[in-house]
Amino acid sequence: MEEELFKALADANRRRILDELVERDGQTLFEICARLVSKHQLGLTRQAVSQHLAVLEAAGLVRSRREGRYKFHDLDTRPLEHIVTRWLRPQPPEGTP
């Protein structure tokens, strides 16, 4: 899981998608594409953004849900929190007071 997480974070376009989901969670593919063009002048195709979202979803950073005809994408920060906890706040060994 961590390999997929670091792979997902290694790409600048995927980090921009995460930035957009931090700013406004629960966006459709169309909304994400529009924000990437208007705010970052990124002319990625819908297919490219969809593939980036699939990588982010495989890493556990994005969850998608369907409502009627629309598919919404939500940010999930739990994998990032796990990494922070792992290296910045490691668990003490068992039996340590």
Side-chain angles (χ1 to χ4, degrees), residues 34-90:
R35 290 173 71 101
L36 291 174
V37 168
S38 66
K39 292 179 68 181
H40 304 284
Q41 289 76 44
L42 287 177
L44 298 174
T45 64
R46 287 175 47 137
Q47 291 79 14
V49 174
S50 180
Q51 289 176 345
H52 285 307
L53 284 168
V55 172
L56 292 169
E57 198 167 339
L61 292 167
V62 171
R63 298 205 183 278
S64 62
R65 58 186 158 80
R66 284 206 173 271
E67 288 183 25
R69 295 179 12 195
Y70 298 100
K71 184 177 181 182
F72 297 92
H73 303 279
D74 297 297
L75 178 66
D76 187 348
T77 59
R78 286 180 291 180
L80 297 173
E81 292 165 1
H82 173 72
I83 287 177
V84 169
T85 302
R86 175 182 169 187
W87 283 315
L88 296 180
R89 290 177 271 153

Side-chain angles (χ1 to χ4, degrees), residues 92-97:
E94 288 186 30
T96 304

